[in-house]
Amino acid sequence: WIAFDQRGCGRSTPRGTLQDNDLATLIDDAERLRAQLGIDRWAVAGGSWGGLLGVAYARCCPQAVAGLFLRSVFSGSAASRRRYIAPWRAWLGPAGCDRLGAQTGALEQWLCHGATGLCESGSAAFATMAQDAVLAHAWAGFDAAQSAPGGVPASGARWQPPIGETTPLDDWHIFLHHAGLGFGVGPAGVVAPAAMPGPTWLVHGDADAVCDPADSAALAQAWPAARHVSVPGGAHAMSHPPMAAALRAAAIGWIAALQVQAGTFQRSLR
């Protein structure tokens, strides 16, 4: 198993960098890592935004992909982005909207109209939002609330004002940057490879409020041989018990299918 932190994230340095940080470069980073490790073909797993990256990688480098495991995949489409941010004002409530002022609508516009020429990391709008610590923490809280089953509409969760001083988050800068780029895809979302790249499993909770379950369903329609697992009541968070159980079972099945494809002996996973 090889896990890597994408450019600007985790332990990759410089942390939070936006320079040369786009979908094409991230795909190139993965390819250079594969070549450096001397791997001819590998199976690719990714969830949420990582699922979009996995699909885009398989489209660009089909010869390198032995199979795909996609958890709660994000298509990046305009419809998917609008669905995600739709409960934003309800979550903020009147007090939160008053506190954030014009930034309330600015985030909605930025997310829903990325890659229009107005949403660039060097723009004044980006600088204003990126430096707004209250907005950054509001978004982090909203995203966490959306990750629960049914998201904000189901839980009724609401914004709580931050206590004490806050500072912007590196993850916030990365999110804003990629949202401004339209996540590197067009309004219709990431384009799947015409041919399914080996054993492919799609696992998505039907109560996912962050990434639309319809995105996984669309991929399953494009790849009839893919295994599509819709998890009843499943949330976006991997730690949600129904999702954790479904992902474990699906991963075991996926690895077994990869082993059969490779002609290797299967072994039990504990």
Side-chain angles (χ1 to χ4, degrees):
W1 290 91
I2 300 162
F4 65 95
D5 292 337
Q6 75 177 52
R7 185 173 295 228
C9 298
R11 290 183 291 177
S12 293
T13 57
R15 170 87 180 189
T17 184
L18 307 181
Q19 183 177 355
D20 298 324
N21 194 337
D22 55 30
L23 183 62
T25 306
L26 297 180
I27 290 172
D28 184 61
D29 285 345
E31 264 299 87
R32 288 191 294 126
L33 177 62
R34 182 185 65 83
Q36 182 174 333
L37 294 174
I39 299 171
D40 292 329
R41 296 175 74 224
W42 55 7
V44 176
S48 194
W49 154 252
L52 183 156
L53 181 57
V55 173
Y57 176 80
R59 180 176 174 82
C60 291
C61 310
Q63 76 290 343
V65 181
L68 282 175
F69 188 90
L70 304 173
R71 187 269 307 174
S72 309
V73 67
F74 172 56
S75 72
S77 70
S80 187
R81 286 180 264 157
R82 286 194 299 268
R83 178 182 180 272
Y84 165 73
I85 202 65
W88 168 241
R89 289 178 186 259
W91 182 79
L92 284 173
C97 290
D98 288 344
R99 175 75 177 271
L100 294 181
Q103 297 293 66
T104 299
L107 178 58
E108 294 170 318
Q109 291 292 316
W110 186 269
L111 182 61
C112 294
H113 298 284
T116 61
L118 301 176
C119 304
E120 298 176 354
S121 59
S123 69
F126 177 88
T128 300
M129 286 193 291
Q131 295 167 12
D132 191 328
V134 175
L135 179 62
H137 283 262
W139 166 75
F142 170 77
D143 190 69
Q146 282 287 78
S147 295
V152 169
S155 68
R158 293 295 181 265
W159 172 78
Q160 296 294 326
I163 299 173
E165 294 186 4
T166 58
T167 56
L169 310 169
D170 288 334
D171 290 349
W172 167 241
H173 292 173
I174 295 289
F175 168 76
L176 278 182
H177 173 69
H178 284 288
L181 298 173
F183 297 100
V185 298
V190 66
V191 178
M196 189 179 78
T200 296
W201 289 64
L202 306 161
V203 184
H204 212 130
D206 66 7
D208 190 332
V210 174
C211 295
D212 194 344
D215 289 349
S216 286
L219 287 173
Q221 187 173 13
W223 300 325
R227 294 290 299 271
H228 181 209
V229 180
S230 179
V231 184
H236 186 71
M238 285 192 298
S239 58
H240 185 227
M243 287 299 296
L247 286 166
R248 177 174 176 79
I252 291 172
W254 180 60
I255 292 169
L258 290 170
Q259 291 173 328
V260 169
Q261 175 181 258
T264 60
F265 289 106
Q266 298 183 31
R267 62 184 177 86
S268 62
L269 298 179
R270 298 183 180 182

